[in-house]
Amino acid sequence: MAANETFESAATYDVEPAGGNRFRQSQAQDILAAVLKEKLLGATYHAENSSAWAREIADEVKGRLKAQEGWTRYKYVVQVIIGEQRGEAVRMGCRCFWDPKTDDYAQQVFSNETLFCVASAYGVYLY
């Protein structure tokens, strides 16, 4: 580079979602609730089907999250657990190491007479 030339950096890095396009827990919960209702309403628990149902639900939720406008730089993790409803209590918890200004999660529970389903979606902003 010659002495009279100036260097302009073209690289820019987004460290926060632009214009308030942050992962919104309420929108994600609505998506989770809609998918769980569509896929499991009227379903009866069968151990053979639960793995395929969990995969289908996770894929559908992930697809709908990716389709949300403004959430382009987010990476998603979707976890779905389906079990037999036997009247016993189930407790679940999660711990995450992330940036609370940009990252968040949503969770939704569905149950009927024969099954329960817990679906969680995590939105992590990609720096």
Side-chain angles (χ1 to χ4, degrees):
M1 186 182 284
N4 61 352
E5 290 182 42
T6 60
F7 177 74
E8 269 188 54
S9 175
T12 60
Y13 300 97
D14 295 328
V15 293
E16 288 187 5
N21 290 328
R22 190 173 177 266
F23 182 86
R24 298 199 191 291
Q25 187 180 43
S26 60
Q27 282 180 277
Q29 281 179 325
D30 292 345
I31 291 170
L32 288 166
V35 172
L36 291 178
K37 187 175 178 182
E38 289 170 17
K39 299 285 186 182
L40 297 177
L41 193 64
T44 303
Y45 179 81
H46 295 288
E48 306 84 40
N49 299 341
S50 61
S51 178
W53 288 345
R55 194 172 12 261
E56 288 174 19
I57 291 167
D59 290 344
E60 180 70 22
V61 168
K62 196 173 194 180
R64 291 190 190 186
L65 289 171
K66 286 183 176 182
Q68 291 296 302
E69 223 171 286
W71 293 0
T72 54
R73 291 187 55 100
Y74 275 91
K75 296 295 179 189
Y76 302 102
V77 176
V78 179
Q79 180 183 31
V80 178
I81 298 169
I82 298 175
E84 186 174 10
Q85 183 75 273
R86 292 180 161 179
E88 294 132 358
V90 175
R91 288 183 184 249
M92 293 186 63
C94 71
R95 296 180 100 181
C96 301
F97 184 69
W98 61 25
D99 185 351
K101 291 184 289 187
T102 58
D103 308 334
D104 209 346
Y105 82 101
Q107 183 175 316
Q108 193 69 35
V109 178
F110 176 90
S111 64
N112 63 21
E113 297 81 28
T114 63
L115 65 85
F116 71 90
C117 179
V118 180
S120 303
Y122 304 85
V124 181
Y125 189 72
L126 179 64
Y127 291 100

